[in-house]
């Protein structure tokens, strides 16, 4: 099969998984808070990772090296994911996804501090385009700025931190090890945050299938995305990933009667242009 077609098929799985996770997160929001959602999502993830590690014989790859980096990475991801789940209950799904696309822009801005990478003129241009895109999506006036926009934009920053610390971990740690500590640490964080008031809501017959879907979709989305990036260059994968935006806009319209805002697409296109220009330039330079 053509590598581009294979990458597109993997990305279709990623797009479907991210969209399913957003819908499932909104469906359980009426009964569970975001900390409880993350706790149950991590529990499903722990079970899956342990089963896969046992079947594939990769348990020996799990170690306690780089625990500090694992903790920082998972604290950032836990915070970002909670903000993301909260945002999908407040603003249109397309707006959440558009603001989420700014994560690579934040990677560009913060990587000199965390990864020691050089900030080139093209990276600066990409970051500026990303910020312009944020302004178009959010349209910052008194009526447009709300908790949903702020939390979605903040989630993108924490996802960027997750990306950078994951990159540091991949230098010495296996995927099994990273995923094991990802799910285990975030399960503990979820238990602490969900249970600090002594009241943890047990899943009902209605919410349980949605929680299982969130756990499965979260792992499957990143698995599909990783496989797509192994097969095809980022300059191919990123445009395919951008299809998530119109897809979730249609889902939001059909399921929740959300109107399709043209300015969300305009701002997302500007954000995409900044991301794509940077990836294209870096690929040509290499």
């Amino acid at each position: 099969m053509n590598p581009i077609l294979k990458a597109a098929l993997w990305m279709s799985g990623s797009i479907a998984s991210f969209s399913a996770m957003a819908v499932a997160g909104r469906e359980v929001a009426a009964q569970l808070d975001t900390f409880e959602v993350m706790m149950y999502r991590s529990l499903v993830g722990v079970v899956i990772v342990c089963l896969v590690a046992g079947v594939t014989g990769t348990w020996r790859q799990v170690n306690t090296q780089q625990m500090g980096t694992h903790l920082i990475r998972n604290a950032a991801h836990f915070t970002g994911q909670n903000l993301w789940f909260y945002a999908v209950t407040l603003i249109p799904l397309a707006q959440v996804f558009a603001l989420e696309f700014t994560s690579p822009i934040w990677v560009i801005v913060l990587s000199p501090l965390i990864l020691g990478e050089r900030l080139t003129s093209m990276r600066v241009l990409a970051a500026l385009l990303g910020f312009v895109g944020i302004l178009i999506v959010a349209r910052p006036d008194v009526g447009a700025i709300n908790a949903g926009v702020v939390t979605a934009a903040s989630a993108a920053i924490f996802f960027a931190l997750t990306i950078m610390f994951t990159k540091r971990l991949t230098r010495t740690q296996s995927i099994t090890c990273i995923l094991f500590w990802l799910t285990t640490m975030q399960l503990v964080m979820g238990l602490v945050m969900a249970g600090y008031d002594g009241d943890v809501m047990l899943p009902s017959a209605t919410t349980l299938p949605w929680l299982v879907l969130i756990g499965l979709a979260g792992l499957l989305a990143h698995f599909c995305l990783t496989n797509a990036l192994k097969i095809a260059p980022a300059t191919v994968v990123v445009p395919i990933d951008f299809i998530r935006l119109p897809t979730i806009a249609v889902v939001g319209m059909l399921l929740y009667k959300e109107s399709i805002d043209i300015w969300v697409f305009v701002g997302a296109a500007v954000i995409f242009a900044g991301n794509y220009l940077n990836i294209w330039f870096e690929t040509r330079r290499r």
Side-chain angles (χ1 to χ4, degrees):
M1 187 184 294
N2 183 288
I4 304 303
L5 179 58
K6 288 177 69 175
L9 289 174
W10 278 115
M11 285 307 299
S12 66
S14 176
I15 292 165
S17 298
F18 278 123
S19 301
M21 190 165 64
V23 171
R26 182 171 285 189
E27 290 297 321
V28 301
Q31 297 185 40
L32 302 171
D33 62 38
T34 56
F35 293 129
E36 290 168 337
V37 172
M38 278 298 294
M39 179 186 69
Y40 289 120
R41 178 199 168 172
S42 300
L43 178 60
V44 173
V46 167
V47 172
I48 294 172
V49 170
C50 289
L51 286 174
V52 172
V55 171
T56 58
T58 54
W59 265 117
R60 63 184 180 279
Q61 297 176 4
V62 178
N63 58 69
T64 55
Q65 300 171 10
Q66 303 292 327
M67 289 300 287
T69 306
H70 278 292
L71 182 60
I72 295 171
R73 185 252 189 214
N74 290 313
H77 187 267
F78 181 80
T79 304
Q81 195 69 78
N82 274 286
L83 291 171
W84 188 86
F85 276 124
Y86 184 59
V88 299
T89 67
L90 298 178
I91 59 176
L93 297 178
Q95 198 170 21
V96 176
F97 276 48
L99 292 169
E100 184 189 347
F101 279 123
T102 60
S103 284
I105 303 297
W106 287 109
V107 171
I108 293 170
V109 173
L110 297 174
S111 59
L113 299 175
I114 295 175
L115 297 176
E117 295 182 353
R118 191 165 59 91
L119 191 62
T120 64
S121 57
M122 181 55 71
R123 291 176 181 176
V124 171
L125 175 61
L128 290 175
L129 285 172
F131 289 125
V132 170
I134 293 173
L135 295 177
I136 294 172
V137 172
R139 295 189 300 285
D141 57 56
V142 176
I145 291 295
N146 54 51
V149 171
V150 172
T151 51
S154 301
I157 299 175
F158 284 100
F159 287 151
L161 291 170
T162 302
I163 292 168
M164 288 182 285
F165 282 105
T166 301
K167 185 173 181 178
R168 286 180 60 172
L169 285 170
T170 55
R171 295 170 182 170
T172 58
Q173 305 286 282
S174 69
I175 292 177
T176 299
C177 184
I178 292 171
L179 288 178
F180 174 78
W181 290 118
L182 162 73
T183 53
T184 304
M185 285 186 174
Q186 293 194 38
L187 175 58
V188 174
M189 293 174 190
L191 281 168
V192 171
M193 297 305 296
Y196 78 97
D197 57 355
D199 181 22
V200 177
M201 180 71 71
L202 293 175
S204 64
T206 304
T207 58
L208 183 58
W210 292 113
L211 291 170
V212 173
L213 177 60
I214 289 172
L216 289 171
L219 288 175
L220 184 60
H222 292 285
F223 178 75
C224 291
L225 180 60
T226 302
N227 277 282
L229 287 168
K230 286 181 180 179
I231 297 169
T235 47
V236 172
V237 173
V238 168
I240 299 173
D241 189 38
F242 190 68
I243 298 172
R244 268 201 289 153
L245 184 61
T247 300
I248 201 64
V250 172
V251 169
M253 180 184 66
L254 294 176
L255 296 183
Y256 305 111
K257 304 293 191 296
E258 294 178 355
S259 60
I260 296 181
D261 187 348
I262 187 62
W263 288 108
V264 171
F265 286 89
V266 173
V270 175
I271 294 168
F272 166 77
N275 287 329
Y276 189 79
L277 275 175
N278 181 58
I279 293 171
W280 177 79
F281 181 79
E282 293 291 331
T283 303
R284 283 178 59 87
R285 189 174 67 172
R286 291 196 182 100

